[in-house]
Amino acid sequence: MTERTYTTERYTAELDAETYIERFRRADYFLKLCQQCGNYGRRYGCPPFDHDPLTVLQRYDWVHIIGVKVTPHDKTLPLSAAGDMMRPVTTALNEELLEMERSSGGMSFGFAGSCPYCDGAPCARIEGKPCRHPDKVRPSLEAYGFDISKTAKELLGIEIKWSEQGLLPEYLTLVGGVFY
């Protein structure tokens, strides 16, 4: 077994869905950002969706937000090390969110970026084929128009850090949730 090269801290918040939608969702702004991303329309977890996200969200009464702060031990790692370091944390948190979804009858929201289930293979959406893992792939909160920086800061007490000079930031942050 390899030694972990990072530490994690976990944060949670729970609030009514209506308040979260009103205070933290900026759908038009984040849709424009999504449209600038190379994953737009090319990943099943990314917009555009074949449904109205707000209609889906309004089915639920509550939202449970989970944040994980991942702090690398080595402060000189290049940004390219983020994927390998974050993969086990992301996978574990995705599984936890999916279990919460199953037990609550809600809908979970994972993380922006590459699909953790297709082992680097291109998304089937590119070829117009069905998702290979529809039981696991979920959109991120960002994909549904939520401001993750504001969510992390105001609800979890975590300020999102960004890379500088090609190095990992002081820590990386994952924010996901379950509407139920």
Side-chain angles (χ1 to χ4, degrees), residues 122-179:
C123 183
R125 185 174 182 181
I126 295 169
E127 299 172 1
K129 295 180 180 176
C131 179
R132 296 177 193 98
H133 303 281
D135 57 323
K136 296 179 179 180
V137 173
R138 298 295 181 272
S140 65
L141 288 166
E142 296 97 322
Y144 265 46
F146 289 99
D147 185 332
I148 295 306
S149 291
K150 183 177 179 181
T151 296
K153 186 173 185 175
E154 293 185 21
L155 297 179
L156 304 174
I158 306 170
E159 187 166 333
I160 301 285
K161 300 287 185 177
W162 302 100
S163 172
E164 292 182 14
Q165 300 173 352
L167 299 176
L168 286 179
E170 174 186 345
Y171 56 83
L172 298 160
T173 308
L174 291 173
V175 178
V178 177
F179 275 76

Side-chain angles (χ1 to χ4, degrees), residues 1-66:
M1 185 169 142
T2 59
E3 181 182 340
R4 265 189 12 180
T5 59
Y6 56 87
T7 56
T8 61
E9 296 174 70
R10 181 186 175 93
Y11 304 81
T12 62
E14 192 143 345
L15 69 157
D16 68 275
E18 184 177 349
T19 299
Y20 186 60
I21 292 166
E22 286 174 10
R23 286 187 51 212
F24 295 90
R25 188 166 188 262
R26 295 174 47 205
D28 291 340
Y29 175 77
F30 285 99
L31 180 60
K32 286 178 185 170
L33 292 178
C34 284
Q35 289 169 337
Q36 295 171 24
C37 175
N39 292 334
Y40 182 81
R42 298 175 54 86
R43 299 239 168 110
Y44 276 109
C46 296
F49 299 108
D50 62 358
H51 58 273
D52 174 38
L54 183 57
T55 301
V56 171
L57 295 169
Q58 289 174 330
R59 295 180 196 157
Y60 303 106
D61 297 320
W62 297 95
V63 61
H64 182 82
I65 303 292
I66 300 175

Side-chain angles (χ1 to χ4, degrees), residues 5-6 70 72 74-88 163 166-169 172:
T5 59
Y6 56 87
V70 181
D74 183 349
K75 305 300 182 199
T76 63
L77 289 174
L79 186 58
S80 61
D84 288 339
M85 186 176 68
M86 296 297 286
R87 191 169 294 109
S163 172
L167 299 176
L168 286 179
L172 298 160

